[in-house]
Amino acid sequence: MRVWVLLGLLASTQVWAEACVVHSQAERVSVEVCQQNRTIPPKLFHDGFCQPNLPGQKVEVQHLEQCPQGAYGVCRGARVERMPYEQDIHYYGVASDAAYLKPFCEQNSGGHWETP
């Protein structure tokens, strides 16, 4: 009896991935971001937010518990227009892209830009 209770407790405490790394490649452009979930329902985050529709690009998605270190910038508390959900978006790759990502983060996404 104790074994079944223990197995039930272990199954109920499983940690689900709350971040996803999205790597997309086009002909001459390679982009890598990580989306860290804050308030998005898990199924919507996994099946919607972490599954971008980028025609003509090769897209790879990896689900993790948290975003890896090494980002040149993070948009904290980013929101999608007309949705109440928040996420933190970590940007990797070309640090000079921060010149246009920071204003977009703060003005369009209602987020706060951080440089780690």
Side-chain angles (χ1 to χ4, degrees):
M1 176 77 170
R2 287 185 187 176
V3 172
W4 293 111
V5 172
L6 180 59
L7 288 174
L9 287 173
L10 289 173
S12 67
T13 59
Q14 182 175 6
V15 176
W16 297 102
E18 288 294 323
C20 60
V21 175
V22 178
H23 183 239
S24 63
Q25 273 187 295
E27 196 170 303
R28 295 183 184 159
V29 179
S30 179
V31 176
E32 187 172 325
V33 299
C34 181
Q35 299 167 210
Q36 181 84 36
N37 190 3
R38 279 189 167 198
T39 63
I40 305 165
K43 183 165 177 41
L44 177 60
F45 182 73
H46 185 273
D47 297 346
F49 282 77
C50 291
Q51 299 299 324
N53 182 13
L54 302 169
Q57 295 187 30
K58 179 183 173 188
V59 178
E60 295 175 13
V61 178
Q62 179 184 13
H63 295 274
L64 307 168
E65 288 184 33
Q66 62 185 13
C67 290
Q69 293 183 354
Y72 63 80
V74 180
C75 183
R76 301 257 181 227
R79 285 181 238 98
V80 176
E81 189 176 341
R82 296 184 304 263
M83 296 186 95
Y85 308 125
E86 290 185 13
Q87 63 181 332
D88 296 334
I89 304 172
H90 299 241
Y91 295 93
Y92 305 88
V94 183
S96 61
D97 288 349
Y100 64 89
L101 293 171
K102 181 180 186 278
F104 186 86
C105 166
E106 294 172 344
Q107 296 165 13
N108 296 52
S109 300
H112 171 74
W113 185 264
E114 291 181 6
T115 305

